[in-house]
Amino acid sequence: MQGYIIAGLCAALLSVGALQRCTSTELAETRADLAVAVEVNEANRQAVERLERGMENTDRVLAGWNEDRTTLAGVRNAARAAVREAMRDETFRAWYLAPAHNDAWRLLNEAVDAGGNGVSGPSGGPAGGLSGNAGSGKRQ
């Protein structure tokens, strides 16, 4: 009987050893898979960090471009206003410095009163009420 017990214990010991070996192999495979998963997770973490840095840099660049665009729009509007004012000033200066064309004075001198009373030309005083122009027909 003792032989049967020893044989049963030996069989149990061999089956436990076989199970331990199978479990050890599965554990090694699981460790290898875990190591690969850890490396992939680390690579993904680094990729996410690079993407976040890239997004931050892009946001800063776009904010700078927006600020530059706003500044340039302000400069452009100020320049347009300055050009408009300069054009008004230059137009006024050209108008008041340049003598009227002789044909313009001739038309003014030949104009008939709009009321239809037949009055033609200036009435003895300076033409158009301008000082220094004694009705000569030409602007001085």
Side-chain angles (χ1 to χ4, degrees):
M1 167 110 149
Q2 221 179 15
Y4 291 119
I5 293 177
I6 291 176
L9 287 176
C10 285
L13 184 61
L14 286 176
S15 57
V16 169
L19 288 174
Q20 193 270 335
R21 185 170 187 178
C22 288
T23 305
S24 177
T25 305
E26 289 178 13
L27 180 61
E29 290 174 1
T30 304
R31 282 184 181 166
D33 291 343
L34 179 61
V36 169
V38 167
E39 290 176 14
V40 168
N41 285 343
E42 181 64 23
N44 286 340
R45 186 187 60 77
Q46 291 174 355
V48 167
E49 286 177 357
R50 282 193 305 271
L51 286 173
E52 287 176 352
R53 282 193 305 269
M55 288 188 305
E56 289 172 2
N57 290 337
T58 302
D59 288 344
R60 270 184 270 157
V61 168
L62 289 176
W65 285 352
N66 190 35
E67 184 179 329
D68 292 346
R69 186 180 58 82
T70 303
T71 303
L72 288 174
V75 169
R76 187 173 35 247
N77 290 338
R80 282 183 185 152
V83 166
R84 279 190 206 113
E85 187 165 331
M87 287 174 61
R88 273 193 302 252
D89 291 347
E90 289 300 315
T91 302
F92 182 73
R93 184 179 302 150
W95 174 78
Y96 83 84
L97 288 179
H101 196 272
N102 288 335
D103 291 334
W105 285 109
R106 182 183 51 78
L107 287 173
L108 287 172
N109 287 330
E110 293 175 357
V112 177
D113 184 27
N117 61 7
V119 177
S120 142
S123 61
L130 299 175
S131 61
N133 188 355
S136 65
K138 293 184 181 179
R139 186 171 175 194
Q140 306 208 357

